[in-house]
Amino acid sequence: MSTFSLDPGPDQLAVRDWLHGFAADVIRPAAAEWDEREETPWPIIQEAARLGIYSLDFYAQQYFDPSGVGIPIAMEELFWGDAGIGLSIVGTTLAAVAVLANGTDEQIGTWAPQMFGTPDDVQVAAFCSSEPDAGSDVSALRTRAVHDEATGEWVLNGTKTWATNGGIAAVHVVVATVDPALGARGQASFVVPPGTPGLSQGQKFKKHGIRASHTAEVVLDSVRVPGHCLLGGKEKLDERLARAREGVRKGGRNAAMATFEASRPAVGAQAVGIARAAYEVALDYAKTRVQFGRPIIDNQGVAFQLADMKTRIDAARLLVWRASWMAAANQPFTSAEGSMSKLYAGETAKWVTAQAMQILGGNGFTREYPVERMHRDSAIYSIFEGTSEIQRLVIARAVSGLPIR
């Protein structure tokens, strides 16, 4: 087991510097354009694939880094570049994590490579959990998966929403209800292979922020998938459902929550990257902007704002790194440390970007400077992958041991 350390080793530092260069040279110059276009930046994803940044191998190396901080470092640097483009580059990993968290070794080996494609034929993947009437309440999912005993296939019907890469993905991972009577314990995850009939894109959403990332509904109309597309396999599912029907909770994990548990610190790291980017713009501006004959950073009101911004960013990063190390070291989140990291980092990104706009004054409100885009992008971090309110509920339940509602 790796010892928790705040001093990244040479391998992590090399990856950080490599990604920082890509973010500075490729992502940032294109950020405003793709934000305005509200389209998936395929040329940038392809460049990332050509360099080896958008690849299964790269993310696997970071995911299995024994220090635990490989993924957080990568996320922070890419999202320091731009959140919308960053999410287009890493959005596939949520579907990949779903397969890693719930699938067999054979399923991981089969589906994970197809999610990324190749540098010459880049693909993306989508994780489909939320529904129009089921966001934070994953137990309310209406998408059904029915087993066809005659063919051994599963038939999926329903509508998913807020799906990153939904409809444009090669591989979709869909969370569906197998036994509605069991609520969240009656759900399972299914892979929908490329080109499967019955899956289509519904509404594409026009968003406040992260506009370079594609977000859409996914419609499932009698989608038939082979039995081997059930993540974990039918035998394991039948055992889990039997335990749930007997009222035994031990050993059972909800398919959607298993994915979110693994991804929350990584999402927190994205928020840290956004916050750091806005802070750096504000710091540079405060040093060079002259009012009343002196740089505005000479005023305590501005200097103290920057001090608080830096302090909160560092605190958020520490929470993210702790949770990431704990996950890598198989340490249980006894106090919901994963939710803590996502909650604090997300709220920090919103606060820091707002302070950055204030320091830039009127300039901060224009698109001539990037902080207004960063502020719009930050807003989603108290909403997706578990709202801030849900994170607080998870933490409160963990520290109290009570079923707080």
Side-chain angles (χ1 to χ4, degrees):
M1 183 176 69
S2 173
T3 301
F4 179 63
S5 173
L6 299 178
D7 184 19
D11 291 341
Q12 289 92 349
L13 293 176
V15 170
R16 182 198 66 186
D17 294 344
W18 176 43
L19 293 179
H20 186 81
F22 178 79
D25 298 339
V26 179
I27 294 178
R28 280 205 166 179
E33 174 190 351
W34 290 100
D35 177 71
E36 291 286 348
R37 291 175 63 167
E38 298 191 54
E39 297 175 358
T40 300
W42 289 107
I44 298 177
I45 299 174
Q46 189 163 24
E47 178 66 8
R50 187 183 68 81
L51 295 173
I53 294 170
Y54 183 78
S55 71
L56 177 61
D57 286 346
F58 173 73
Y59 288 110
Q61 288 173 12
Q62 307 316 309
Y63 185 84
F64 292 110
D65 182 337
S67 73
V69 300
I71 286 290
I73 287 174
M75 294 291 180
E76 180 176 336
E77 294 305 324
L78 291 172
F79 283 71
W80 172 89
D82 177 68
I85 294 176
L87 195 55
S88 287
I89 293 173
V90 308
T92 292
T93 62
L94 184 58
V97 167
V99 174
L100 286 170
N102 301 295
T104 64
D105 289 343
E106 182 178 357
Q107 289 171 326
I108 294 168
T110 298
W111 300 115
Q114 294 187 47
M115 293 179 173
F116 293 88
T118 68
D120 295 326
D121 184 24
V122 170
Q123 302 293 335
V124 295
F127 179 67
C128 307
S129 176
S130 294
E131 297 181 3
D133 296 319
S136 297
D137 182 9
V138 296
S139 65
L141 297 184
R142 295 182 179 178
T143 296
R144 286 295 309 276
V146 177
H147 190 241
D148 186 335
E149 298 287 350
T151 65
E153 296 174 317
W154 289 89
V155 184
L156 308 179
N157 282 284
T159 298
K160 294 296 183 178
T161 194
W162 314 124
T164 298
N165 297 329
I168 66 171
V171 176
H172 292 75
V173 178
V174 176
V175 180
T177 296
V178 177
D179 186 341
L182 297 177
R185 291 180 293 160
Q187 297 168 1
S189 292
F190 300 83
V191 170
V192 180
T196 301
L199 184 147
S200 62
Q201 179 182 308
Q203 175 187 3
K204 178 188 174 183
F205 295 102
K206 297 179 71 67
K207 305 190 298 294
H208 177 65
I210 55 168
R211 301 200 303 189
S213 174
H214 177 96
T215 310
E217 291 180 330
V218 174
V219 180
L220 303 151
D221 183 9
S222 297
V223 173
R224 286 182 167 268
V225 298
H228 64 259
C229 289
L230 166 62
L231 292 180
K234 192 170 186 302
E235 183 178 345
K236 183 177 179 181
L237 173 64
D238 288 342
E239 292 175 358
R240 179 162 60 83
L241 295 179
R243 288 197 303 268
R245 293 181 185 114
E246 293 171 3
V248 179
R249 294 175 180 267
K250 184 179 178 181
R253 292 198 302 170
N254 170 261
M257 295 314 299
T259 302
F260 292 139
E261 286 170 12
S263 65
R264 277 174 178 159
V267 175
Q270 297 171 10
V272 171
I274 299 169
R276 191 185 107 212
Y279 160 77
E280 289 176 1
V281 173
L283 177 62
D284 182 66
Y285 186 89
K287 288 180 176 179
T288 56
R289 174 68 167 172
V290 175
Q291 291 286 278
F292 303 105
R294 61 181 183 177
I296 62 173
I297 199 170
D298 282 355
N299 299 295
Q300 282 190 359
V302 174
F304 285 7
Q305 275 182 293
L306 289 162
D308 286 343
M309 291 159 73
K310 173 63 172 171
T311 300
R312 287 190 59 164
I313 291 167
D314 282 13
R317 183 183 297 109
L318 289 172
L319 285 170
V320 166
W321 282 25
R322 179 185 69 167
S324 300
W325 172 81
M326 289 177 68
N330 293 315
Q331 299 291 312
F333 288 167
T334 55
S335 297
E337 287 85 354
S339 289
M340 282 186 186
S341 68
K342 195 271 183 181
L343 167 65
Y344 192 76
E347 294 294 334
T348 293
K350 289 174 61 177
W351 184 82
V352 167
T353 54
Q355 297 306 303
M357 288 182 66
Q358 190 69 23
I359 289 172
L360 268 67
N363 286 325
F365 200 66
T366 71
R367 295 191 181 181
E368 296 299 313
Y369 288 80
V371 292
E372 69 83 27
R373 184 179 70 248
M374 295 169 182
H375 186 54
R376 286 188 286 109
D377 291 342
S378 71
I380 194 64
Y381 283 86
S382 62
I383 299 173
F384 74 172
E385 296 220 31
T387 64
S388 289
E389 291 75 18
I390 288 294
Q391 307 302 338
R392 291 185 176 100
L393 183 63
V394 172
I395 296 164
R397 286 173 174 172
V399 299
S400 70
L402 299 173
I404 298 169
R405 299 180 63 85

